Amino acid sequence: MKVIASLIFPLILVLLCEVNGQRRRPPKKRVTPPPVEPVEPTDLPPPLPPGPPSIFPDCPRECFCPPDFPSALYCDSRNLRKVPLIPPRIHYLYLQNNFIDELPEESFKNATELKWINLDNNRIKKVDKRVLDKLESLVFLYMEKNHLKEIPGNLPPNLEQLRLSRNRISRIATGAFHKLEHLLLLDLHNNELNDAVFNKNTFKGLKNLMQLNLARNILKKMPLGIPTAVHQLFLDKNNITDIPNNYFKDFPNLAFLRLNHNSLTDKGLPKNSFNISNLLVLHLAHNKLTNVPYISPKLEHLYLNDNSIKTINGTEICPTSLFTFQEPSSDLDNVPHLRYLRLDGNHLKPPIPLDLMMCFRLLQSVIF
């Protein structure tokens, strides 16, 4: 026991000395981590250094004024927080991919001849109406991927294209479009528009609108007040369940209609929902249909993929009686114009019904 004690005692002394030594050591200073840089909502290149002096003395130093294109000003992708002073000679202004959050009146006070402004991918929440009041020559306004919550007011009357997709728009003020009789394209996809936003006067003034994009909003019903002159209507990725009877009866020019990724059912489609005189392309993919809807004689492209269709009867869906063109010499101008039909992603089994091919004799591609 004495031998064991003589061995353990020195070991205890060593341990005690180490503990005491640790206690006497000065505490380590806590390293304060560097402040975290704010995370920007977009991935942009580092800011460009000022370039060489421009041949144009009024060219903002942070922008580029091409010598061979004196009416253009390139201020895009330069990490700008503010809009520089725009020279009066500029017609085409590129400010996309920056961090601009407002459009000050001072920056645009001399830019009354602007025809094209690209402000995509910034942080703009609101547009001062005094800025737009002076831009009477503006034809194209691009403000996609910003933070807008409503349609800007006092839009210039000569606008032909207005692109406001990927914002946070949930409100359209009364009379927002009443001066825009020259507008041809209105893009509002990927916003927060619901059924309550739309009434018979929402789009009043858009007499010549050709393309309207309302895809990726939160609609459950077909919107009211769609301009009857429209040629292309996009309503993909909403939650629309039905189409009111005769909804499209006053759309003589509608040629392209997209309703993919909604909740349409057979019950929600009146028999002649798509009996539209000039409809050429109809997208109904990714819905809940179990039957093929009415096919207009002039329709050329029909997308019905990824529904719940189990059977297809060519005789029943044929818009023209098969007996009217049984003879080989029959006039092909009078047969249905369908050329492309997509039916994959349903519950159909091959082969393709013979009466389907007999009816739609101009079919060039069927994905079954």
Side-chain angles (χ1 to χ4, degrees), residues 13 22 53 96 98 173 217-218 222 231 256 278 308 314 334 360:
L13 288 174
Q22 288 177 359
Q96 68 269 28
N98 284 297
N217 279 280
I218 47 177
M222 295 294 287
H231 287 65
F256 192 99
N278 287 307
S308 300
N334 295 322
F360 302 103

Side-chain angles (χ1 to χ4, degrees), residues 28-36:
K28 291 183 178 180
K29 291 183 179 181
R30 183 175 294 177
V31 179
T32 304
V36 179

Side-chain angles (χ1 to χ4, degrees), residues 255-257 279-284 295 298-304 337-342 363-365:
F256 192 99
L257 176 61
L279 190 64
L280 300 177
V281 182
L282 176 59
H283 288 256
L284 293 169
I295 300 175
K298 290 188 177 181
L299 191 69
E300 295 185 1
H301 293 252
L302 176 59
Y303 297 77
L304 287 168
H337 292 186
L338 195 66
R339 300 175 186 274
Y340 180 92
L341 176 60
R342 186 168 174 183
L363 268 173
Q364 298 174 355
S365 179

Side-chain angles (χ1 to χ4, degrees), residues 297-325:
K298 290 188 177 181
L299 191 69
E300 295 185 1
H301 293 252
L302 176 59
Y303 297 77
L304 287 168
N305 51 293
D306 298 284
N307 277 277
S308 300
I309 300 171
K310 294 181 180 179
T311 60
I312 184 168
N313 186 316
T315 304
E316 289 181 359
I317 66 173
C318 189
T320 308
S321 173
L322 292 177
F323 297 105
T324 61
F325 44 83

